[in-house]
Amino acid sequence: MIGVTEPAHRPRSVEAAVLAWAAVGVLALLFLVVNLFSGVDPAAPANSAALFGGLTVLWCANNLRSGWRGPRIYLALAAPVLAYLVITALVSSPALSLPALVFLPAGPLAVTGAVLMFLPEANAYVREMTRR
């Protein structure tokens, strides 16, 4: 077709970052489900944050795959917040609840995803996709 360009080769670092961030989004939604089955009030702020955060991270991970710049910025800001929440949960409670245990891997996954999405080949991919 005339005017249609072939998509750029997506580097493995971008694919790995997408997988890491998708796992974070799924963990947030799983945290919500476990919280609801534990009897926590559905209108609790933690549940609202898990729902909004999980869906937003999944949306950003999907658009990160397409080479959009906006999701990288949002996810780069979300990574330290998630890491902080996980560290706070570990320090504040010697015996973690089941919902907190479900969400523990989210911090390291978020930091890993943030590092992977800013490697040189990922930056080159986003720059190339931005020009299209």
Side-chain angles (χ1 to χ4, degrees), residues 29-44 47-48 99:
L29 295 175
L30 186 61
F31 171 81
L32 170 68
V33 170
V34 171
N35 240 3
L36 291 176
F37 282 119
S38 298
V40 175
D41 179 23
N47 291 338
S48 300

Side-chain angles (χ1 to χ4, degrees), residues 21 73-88 106-107 110-111 114 117:
W21 281 111
I73 295 166
Y74 175 83
L75 293 173
L77 294 174
V81 172
L82 289 168
Y84 171 77
L85 291 174
V86 168
I87 291 169
T88 303
V111 172
M117 69 185 182

Side-chain angles (χ1 to χ4, degrees), residues 99-122:
L101 285 174
V102 167
F103 196 62
L104 278 181
L109 282 169
V111 172
T112 302
V115 169
L116 288 170
M117 69 185 182
F118 284 104
L119 289 177
E121 61 268 13

